[in-house]
Every structure is written in C-alpha cells, then in structure tokens.
Amino acid sequence: MTGSIQEMRNLGKATAQMLAEVDILTEEDLRNIGAVEAFARLKFRFGSNVTLVALYALHGALIDRDWRDITPEEKTQLKAAYGTRA
C-alpha cells in the first residue's frame, strides 16, 4: 500500500502535512511505524498542539474505524504504549 495519508479515515490535509514533517509520507509509512510511534513523533515536533485525539485518530486510520469508536480499553492500551516508549 502506498496510498495517500489524507485519504485514510480520520486523517486529512492538515494531519498529512504534519506527518510529512516527521517523515511519514504514505499510508505504508504509517503502517510500518504504527500509531504510537507516529504520535510520539508528532508530539516531539509539535508539542502541546497534538492531543490524544491524534493518537486515537491514527490508530483508527490504521484499523479503518472512526476515532470516536475507539473503545476505552483500546485508549488505555494506546496511552500505556505511548507512556512506556518514552
């Protein structure tokens, strides 16, 4: 897959531009890196302008689900994965 980031669910032009600034240019790049690492890169580059919603949106994009449908359990796992990577 080498699709456009902004064609993925939950992700649009602004997110695609931000991801490009952290060297995530394609859907394949995002799939290879994963939501947690992509979120970590965004947080490092953009700081408080990136919220947990971005983590949920990235995860949702990878599983083709709306970020608002991410379960509380999934959110807990994602936050824990991000926390342990630091």
Side-chain angles (χ1 to χ4, degrees):
M1 284 180 211
T2 58
S4 169
I5 294 270
Q6 68 187 62
E7 292 174 6
M8 296 177 76
R9 183 187 293 258
N10 304 316
L11 308 179
K13 183 178 180 179
T15 303
Q17 289 173 339
M18 291 172 73
L19 287 167
E21 287 195 38
V22 296
D23 298 321
I24 301 170
L25 305 173
T26 66
E27 179 180 349
E28 183 178 18
D29 291 340
L30 181 56
R31 289 193 181 283
N32 289 336
I33 290 166
V36 173
E37 177 61 24
F39 177 72
R41 290 183 185 191
L42 291 175
K43 282 297 280 183
F44 182 78
R45 171 68 178 85
F46 298 101
S48 63
N49 291 326
V50 177
T51 68
L52 284 172
V53 170
L55 177 59
Y56 308 148
L58 291 163
H59 176 69
L62 292 173
I63 61 172
D64 196 29
R65 192 177 340 144
D66 190 285
W67 71 268
R68 292 166 290 217
D69 294 332
I70 303 302
T71 66
E73 293 81 13
E74 287 172 299
K75 289 178 181 179
T76 298
Q77 291 172 346
L78 290 164
K79 288 187 283 188
Y82 172 68
T84 60
R85 118 174 243 298

